[in-house]
Amino acid sequence: MFKNLFKQHGAKNVVTLFHKPSNSASTRVLTVLKQANAQSAAHSTEDQASSHQTQEKLERLEFDLDVTETPPTGDQLKNILEYLGGSSAASKVIRGAQNESDALRLLKADGESFVRPLVVDWNQGKAVTGDNESEILSLLRSIPKEIKKA
């Protein structure tokens, strides 16, 4: 559903961080995403005479950051589980969940069962659970160049 929502010519990639400010891992991920976004924006306006290789590498990090403290909707959760490999990923996203239907039930019963931080690139259909900085940066670097040109 959300996979193609933002795939319009000239649109930036939208990356959502499901965030919990009291969680130190979530705060670290927010910092990483903000720094990557700021660094990309700064380098994308550099003079064309600068190193194209460095500039191109940093440009790929450009995205619109959406930070939310609310858990995902049921439809978003279904997409996130799909991005992470299906029903078997349910326990990575919802504490105590065995499969997708269990995850949906637990999410409705208690939004606090949702595990944060979780970074989702809706355009590419990819997600990263936890605060693994290299996985998050890898996800951002894989943003197709043509999607983010505004």
Side-chain angles (χ1 to χ4, degrees), residues 1-114:
M1 177 181 182
F2 288 96
K3 193 181 245 185
N4 296 318
L5 181 63
F6 299 102
K7 281 194 175 185
Q8 300 168 8
H9 182 68
K12 281 187 190 176
N13 230 38
V14 175
V15 175
T16 298
L17 168 62
F18 289 95
H19 179 54
K20 185 170 188 173
S22 62
N23 179 317
S24 60
S26 189
T27 302
R28 281 193 302 277
V29 169
L30 178 60
T31 300
V32 166
L33 291 170
K34 283 182 173 180
Q35 287 174 342
N37 205 11
Q39 183 179 24
S40 172
H43 288 283
S44 67
T45 58
E46 282 184 354
D47 183 8
Q48 292 299 318
S50 66
S51 169
H52 292 295
Q53 185 178 20
T54 303
Q55 186 172 347
E56 184 174 315
K57 198 172 190 182
L58 290 168
E59 276 183 12
R60 289 199 177 119
L61 295 176
E62 193 172 340
F63 55 94
D64 285 333
L65 178 59
D66 172 39
V67 179
T68 181
E69 294 178 27
T70 60
T73 65
D75 285 340
Q76 286 175 323
L77 179 61
K78 287 178 185 180
N79 283 317
I80 291 166
L81 292 176
E82 179 186 321
Y83 301 164
L84 291 171
S87 210
S88 62
S91 63
K92 292 180 181 178
V93 180
I94 303 290
R95 281 182 209 83
Q98 303 299 313
N99 53 43
E100 182 179 311
S101 60
D102 201 26
L104 289 165
R105 181 185 56 76
L106 289 168
L107 178 66
K108 285 181 183 178
D110 178 17
E112 288 304 307
S113 62
F114 179 67

